[in-house]
Amino acid sequence: MIIFSVIATFELTIKTRYILNIIAFTAFIFNTFSHFIDHYQYFQAFGQSINFLFMSIAVLIIVKKIFRDKKITGDTLRGGISVYLMLGILWFQIYTMIYTLDSNAFSRPVNSHQLLYFSFVTLTTVGYGDISPINPVAMSFANLEAIVGQLYPAIIIARLVSLYSSSNS
């Protein structure tokens, strides 16, 4: 339902809205059936990858709007904040896919709440150290998330400052 409400808030062409609805429905089907089928982790990982695809498209749409705007508005600021939070959720989905396929990917057994926590601790580069990736793929994604967590705010703040200065000139 959250995915469908996100689709409804975007100003999209009918074709794009249709494609996103198909992606959302497919993710729902795979996530639902993963609970009833043997070897569910593969269905669950596929559903999670579809969720990741949808969230990636949503991030790209919002970032495109932020960089297309010529003036700072409340929507520009909310979009910038939303993208940062959505980046944490994107990496959470990646870690969930990795953990679904390799239950030894982290230093200890974790649940989805702890993976969400790990994602945002990594994105903000706080790094408490209570959960650590030990799978090489998870380690690579954690490094990439920390880099994006530093670069994204710097780039968006620079963009907003440049918009603000040009509108006040």
Side-chain angles (χ1 to χ4, degrees), residues 1 9 15 21 85 119 125:
M1 293 310 295
T9 62
K15 180 180 176 184
N21 279 319
L85 296 174
S119 176
T125 66

Side-chain angles (χ1 to χ4, degrees), residues 72-139:
I72 297 176
T73 64
D75 285 344
T76 309
L77 296 174
R78 284 187 291 275
I81 293 167
S82 295
V83 167
Y84 190 71
L85 296 174
M86 290 168 73
L87 288 171
I89 294 170
L90 276 172
W91 262 279
F92 158 71
Q93 290 172 333
I94 291 170
Y95 299 136
T96 302
M97 284 186 277
I98 293 169
Y99 191 72
T100 298
L101 298 173
D102 178 8
S103 61
N104 295 317
F106 294 90
S107 57
R108 62 185 179 92
V110 290
N111 59 36
S112 61
H113 300 294
Q114 292 165 328
L115 286 174
L116 184 64
Y117 157 81
F118 173 75
S119 176
F120 279 98
V121 164
T122 304
L123 182 68
T124 59
T125 66
V126 172
Y128 293 121
D130 52 342
I131 301 171
S132 302
I134 54 176
N135 175 299
V137 175
M139 292 169 76

Side-chain angles (χ1 to χ4, degrees), residues 26-40:
T26 305
F28 173 77
I29 294 297
F30 273 93
N31 287 326
T32 301
F33 282 117
S34 70
H35 297 291
F36 303 110
I37 298 174
D38 290 338
H39 306 292
Y40 73 93

